[in-house]
mmCIF file of all heavy atoms in Angstrom:
data_model
loop_
_atom_site.group_PDB
_atom_site.id
_atom_site.type_symbol
_atom_site.label_atom_id
_atom_site.label_comp_id
_atom_site.label_asym_id
_atom_site.label_seq_id
_atom_site.Cartn_x
_atom_site.Cartn_y
_atom_site.Cartn_z
ATOM 1 N N HIS A 450 21.586 4.574 -9.572
ATOM 2 C CA HIS A 450 22.488 5.672 -9.201
ATOM 3 C C HIS A 450 23.107 5.389 -7.818
ATOM 4 O O HIS A 450 24.310 5.567 -7.623
ATOM 5 C CB HIS A 450 21.707 6.984 -9.201
ATOM 6 C CG HIS A 450 22.513 8.153 -8.761
ATOM 7 N ND1 HIS A 450 23.472 8.733 -9.561
ATOM 8 C CD2 HIS A 450 22.517 8.858 -7.592
ATOM 9 C CE1 HIS A 450 24.031 9.738 -8.910
ATOM 10 N NE2 HIS A 450 23.472 9.830 -7.715
ATOM 11 N N TRP A 451 22.284 4.916 -6.891
ATOM 12 C CA TRP A 451 22.808 4.602 -5.554
ATOM 13 C C TRP A 451 23.869 3.499 -5.647
ATOM 14 O O TRP A 451 24.877 3.542 -4.971
ATOM 15 C CB TRP A 451 21.683 4.108 -4.637
ATOM 16 C CG TRP A 451 20.731 5.160 -4.182
ATOM 17 C CD1 TRP A 451 20.899 6.507 -4.230
ATOM 18 C CD2 TRP A 451 19.435 4.931 -3.603
ATOM 19 N NE1 TRP A 451 19.792 7.139 -3.712
ATOM 20 C CE2 TRP A 451 18.884 6.204 -3.317
ATOM 21 C CE3 TRP A 451 18.695 3.801 -3.295
ATOM 22 C CZ2 TRP A 451 17.630 6.365 -2.739
ATOM 23 C CZ3 TRP A 451 17.452 3.952 -2.719
ATOM 24 C CH2 TRP A 451 16.919 5.225 -2.452
ATOM 25 N N GLU A 452 23.569 2.516 -6.503
ATOM 26 C CA GLU A 452 24.493 1.387 -6.582
ATOM 27 C C GLU A 452 25.839 1.792 -7.174
ATOM 28 O O GLU A 452 26.874 1.253 -6.797
ATOM 29 C CB GLU A 452 23.858 0.236 -7.378
ATOM 30 C CG GLU A 452 22.855 -0.503 -6.491
ATOM 31 C CD GLU A 452 21.995 -1.524 -7.229
ATOM 32 O OE1 GLU A 452 22.117 -1.655 -8.470
ATOM 33 O OE2 GLU A 452 21.191 -2.188 -6.554
ATOM 34 N N THR A 453 25.833 2.761 -8.084
ATOM 35 C CA THR A 453 27.127 3.151 -8.668
ATOM 36 C C THR A 453 27.878 4.137 -7.771
ATOM 37 O O THR A 453 29.094 4.229 -7.844
ATOM 38 C CB THR A 453 26.969 3.761 -10.078
ATOM 39 O OG1 THR A 453 25.922 4.714 -10.026
ATOM 40 C CG2 THR A 453 26.641 2.714 -11.117
ATOM 41 N N SER A 454 27.125 4.864 -6.941
ATOM 42 C CA SER A 454 27.855 5.780 -6.039
ATOM 43 C C SER A 454 28.274 4.978 -4.806
ATOM 44 O O SER A 454 27.648 3.996 -4.462
ATOM 45 C CB SER A 454 26.954 6.949 -5.622
ATOM 46 O OG SER A 454 26.155 6.571 -4.536
ATOM 47 N N SER A 455 29.322 5.395 -4.169
ATOM 48 C CA SER A 455 29.769 4.604 -3.023
ATOM 49 C C SER A 455 29.186 5.138 -1.711
ATOM 50 O O SER A 455 29.539 4.691 -0.632
ATOM 51 C CB SER A 455 31.303 4.605 -2.970
ATOM 52 O OG SER A 455 31.711 5.942 -3.068
ATOM 53 N N GLU A 456 28.282 6.117 -1.829
ATOM 54 C CA GLU A 456 27.738 6.756 -0.624
ATOM 55 C C GLU A 456 26.833 5.808 0.160
ATOM 56 O O GLU A 456 25.898 5.240 -0.415
ATOM 57 C CB GLU A 456 26.880 7.963 -1.030
ATOM 58 C CG GLU A 456 27.643 9.120 -1.629
ATOM 59 C CD GLU A 456 28.557 9.770 -0.617
ATOM 60 O OE1 GLU A 456 28.077 10.085 0.485
ATOM 61 O OE2 GLU A 456 29.744 9.928 -0.927
ATOM 62 N N PRO A 457 27.057 5.631 1.440
ATOM 63 C CA PRO A 457 26.118 4.829 2.240
ATOM 64 C C PRO A 457 24.856 5.644 2.539
ATOM 65 O O PRO A 457 24.864 6.871 2.385
ATOM 66 C CB PRO A 457 26.895 4.561 3.530
ATOM 67 C CG PRO A 457 27.843 5.698 3.642
ATOM 68 C CD PRO A 457 28.145 6.178 2.241
ATOM 69 N N PRO A 458 23.757 4.997 2.984
ATOM 70 C CA PRO A 458 22.568 5.773 3.363
ATOM 71 C C PRO A 458 22.894 6.692 4.542
ATOM 72 O O PRO A 458 23.811 6.404 5.318
ATOM 73 C CB PRO A 458 21.554 4.711 3.804
ATOM 74 C CG PRO A 458 22.122 3.398 3.439
ATOM 75 C CD PRO A 458 23.589 3.553 3.208
ATOM 76 N N GLU A 459 22.142 7.790 4.666
ATOM 77 C CA GLU A 459 22.299 8.659 5.834
ATOM 78 C C GLU A 459 21.812 7.896 7.067
ATOM 79 O O GLU A 459 20.938 7.038 6.960
ATOM 80 C CB GLU A 459 21.435 9.920 5.696
ATOM 81 C CG GLU A 459 21.594 10.691 4.400
ATOM 82 C CD GLU A 459 22.970 11.305 4.278
ATOM 83 O OE1 GLU A 459 23.642 11.450 5.322
ATOM 84 O OE2 GLU A 459 23.371 11.628 3.148
ATOM 85 N N SER A 460 22.361 8.260 8.229
ATOM 86 C CA SER A 460 21.924 7.581 9.457
ATOM 87 C C SER A 460 20.795 8.351 10.118
ATOM 88 O O SER A 460 20.742 9.579 10.015
ATOM 89 C CB SER A 460 23.060 7.548 10.468
ATOM 90 O OG SER A 460 24.100 6.798 9.947
ATOM 91 N N TYR A 461 19.901 7.634 10.766
ATOM 92 C CA TYR A 461 18.954 8.295 11.675
ATOM 93 C C TYR A 461 18.746 7.392 12.876
ATOM 94 O O TYR A 461 18.840 6.171 12.776
ATOM 95 C CB TYR A 461 17.629 8.633 10.984
ATOM 96 C CG TYR A 461 16.793 7.457 10.513
ATOM 97 C CD1 TYR A 461 15.726 6.959 11.264
ATOM 98 C CD2 TYR A 461 17.048 6.837 9.293
ATOM 99 C CE1 TYR A 461 14.945 5.892 10.816
ATOM 100 C CE2 TYR A 461 16.274 5.771 8.834
ATOM 101 C CZ TYR A 461 15.231 5.305 9.597
ATOM 102 O OH TYR A 461 14.469 4.255 9.143
ATOM 103 N N GLN A 462 18.509 8.032 13.984
ATOM 104 C CA GLN A 462 18.319 7.283 15.218
ATOM 105 C C GLN A 462 16.915 6.674 15.219
ATOM 106 O O GLN A 462 15.955 7.371 14.866
ATOM 107 C CB GLN A 462 18.402 8.261 16.373
ATOM 108 C CG GLN A 462 19.382 7.863 17.398
ATOM 109 C CD GLN A 462 19.297 8.812 18.579
ATOM 110 O OE1 GLN A 462 18.785 9.910 18.483
ATOM 111 N NE2 GLN A 462 19.798 8.367 19.680
ATOM 112 N N ALA A 463 16.802 5.408 15.588
ATOM 113 C CA ALA A 463 15.458 4.797 15.706
ATOM 114 C C ALA A 463 14.623 5.677 16.628
ATOM 115 O O ALA A 463 15.110 6.182 17.644
ATOM 116 C CB ALA A 463 15.582 3.396 16.277
ATOM 117 N N GLY A 464 13.364 5.888 16.258
ATOM 118 C CA GLY A 464 12.500 6.719 17.091
ATOM 119 C C GLY A 464 12.523 8.183 16.712
ATOM 120 O O GLY A 464 11.937 9.013 17.400
ATOM 121 N N THR A 465 13.211 8.523 15.599
ATOM 122 C CA THR A 465 13.184 9.909 15.120
ATOM 123 C C THR A 465 12.593 9.923 13.702
ATOM 124 O O THR A 465 12.378 8.865 13.107
ATOM 125 C CB THR A 465 14.595 10.531 15.069
ATOM 126 O OG1 THR A 465 15.361 9.816 14.082
ATOM 127 C CG2 THR A 465 15.300 10.432 16.409
ATOM 128 N N TRP A 466 12.364 11.130 13.177
ATOM 129 C CA TRP A 466 11.689 11.256 11.880
ATOM 130 C C TRP A 466 12.620 11.131 10.688
ATOM 131 O O TRP A 466 12.433 11.792 9.686
ATOM 132 C CB TRP A 466 10.909 12.572 11.824
ATOM 133 C CG TRP A 466 9.640 12.506 12.604
ATOM 134 C CD1 TRP A 466 9.365 13.140 13.765
ATOM 135 C CD2 TRP A 466 8.483 11.722 12.285
ATOM 136 N NE1 TRP A 466 8.108 12.803 14.197
ATOM 137 C CE2 TRP A 466 7.545 11.939 13.310
ATOM 138 C CE3 TRP A 466 8.152 10.855 11.247
ATOM 139 C CZ2 TRP A 466 6.299 11.325 13.327
ATOM 140 C CZ3 TRP A 466 6.920 10.239 11.261
ATOM 141 C CH2 TRP A 466 6.004 10.470 12.287
ATOM 142 N N GLY A 467 13.655 10.315 10.794
ATOM 143 C CA GLY A 467 14.523 10.095 9.635
ATOM 144 C C GLY A 467 15.692 11.053 9.636
ATOM 145 O O GLY A 467 15.817 11.898 10.524
ATOM 146 N N PRO A 468 16.570 10.939 8.633
ATOM 147 C CA PRO A 468 17.765 11.778 8.599
ATOM 148 C C PRO A 468 17.419 13.263 8.469
ATOM 149 O O PRO A 468 16.360 13.599 7.942
ATOM 150 C CB PRO A 468 18.510 11.309 7.338
ATOM 151 C CG PRO A 468 17.739 10.222 6.746
ATOM 152 C CD PRO A 468 16.473 10.019 7.507
ATOM 153 N N TYR A 469 18.344 14.086 8.893
ATOM 154 C CA TYR A 469 18.154 15.539 8.812
ATOM 155 C C TYR A 469 17.847 15.964 7.369
ATOM 156 O O TYR A 469 17.045 16.856 7.116
ATOM 157 C CB TYR A 469 19.416 16.267 9.329
ATOM 158 C CG TYR A 469 19.295 17.737 9.106
ATOM 159 C CD1 TYR A 469 18.540 18.525 9.966
ATOM 160 C CD2 TYR A 469 19.887 18.339 7.988
ATOM 161 C CE1 TYR A 469 18.367 19.878 9.731
ATOM 162 C CE2 TYR A 469 19.718 19.690 7.742
ATOM 163 C CZ TYR A 469 18.961 20.455 8.615
ATOM 164 O OH TYR A 469 18.784 21.778 8.366
ATOM 165 N N GLU A 470 18.467 15.271 6.414
ATOM 166 C CA GLU A 470 18.312 15.641 4.994
ATOM 167 C C GLU A 470 16.848 15.594 4.549
ATOM 168 O O GLU A 470 16.450 16.294 3.634
ATOM 169 C CB GLU A 470 19.145 14.707 4.103
ATOM 170 C CG GLU A 470 20.650 14.938 4.161
ATOM 171 C CD GLU A 470 21.318 14.459 5.445
ATOM 172 O OE1 GLU A 470 20.636 13.852 6.307
ATOM 173 O OE2 GLU A 470 22.521 14.713 5.605
ATOM 174 N N ALA A 471 16.022 14.744 5.225
ATOM 175 C CA ALA A 471 14.601 14.653 4.852
ATOM 176 C C ALA A 471 13.867 15.922 5.273
ATOM 177 O O ALA A 471 12.957 16.400 4.598
ATOM 178 C CB ALA A 471 13.966 13.432 5.508
ATOM 179 N N HIS A 472 14.276 16.455 6.392
ATOM 180 C CA HIS A 472 13.729 17.708 6.903
ATOM 181 C C HIS A 472 14.163 18.836 5.955
ATOM 182 O O HIS A 472 13.369 19.673 5.523
ATOM 183 C CB HIS A 472 14.284 17.872 8.323
ATOM 184 C CG HIS A 472 14.051 19.190 8.944
ATOM 185 N ND1 HIS A 472 12.837 19.534 9.491
ATOM 186 C CD2 HIS A 472 14.877 20.247 9.113
ATOM 187 C CE1 HIS A 472 12.937 20.759 9.970
ATOM 188 N NE2 HIS A 472 14.143 21.206 9.753
ATOM 189 N N ASP A 473 15.443 18.774 5.578
ATOM 190 C CA ASP A 473 16.026 19.790 4.707
ATOM 191 C C ASP A 473 15.371 19.811 3.321
ATOM 192 O O ASP A 473 15.218 20.869 2.711
ATOM 193 C CB ASP A 473 17.530 19.478 4.604
ATOM 194 C CG ASP A 473 18.279 20.587 3.927
ATOM 195 O OD1 ASP A 473 18.032 21.747 4.294
ATOM 196 O OD2 ASP A 473 19.081 20.307 3.024
ATOM 197 N N LEU A 474 14.976 18.630 2.839
ATOM 198 C CA LEU A 474 14.306 18.522 1.532
ATOM 199 C C LEU A 474 13.106 19.468 1.464
ATOM 200 O O LEU A 474 12.801 20.048 0.435
ATOM 201 C CB LEU A 474 13.833 17.060 1.353
ATOM 202 C CG LEU A 474 13.172 16.626 0.057
ATOM 203 C CD1 LEU A 474 14.218 16.528 -1.053
ATOM 204 C CD2 LEU A 474 12.518 15.244 0.218
#
Side-chain angles (χ1 to χ4, degrees):
H450 177 74
W451 287 344
E452 282 171 357
T453 47
S454 84
S455 50
E456 292 293 310
E459 308 293 340
S460 297
Y461 65 98
Q462 233 186 341
T465 65
W466 283 110
Y469 174 80
E470 287 73 4
H472 170 79
D473 190 46
L474 183 73

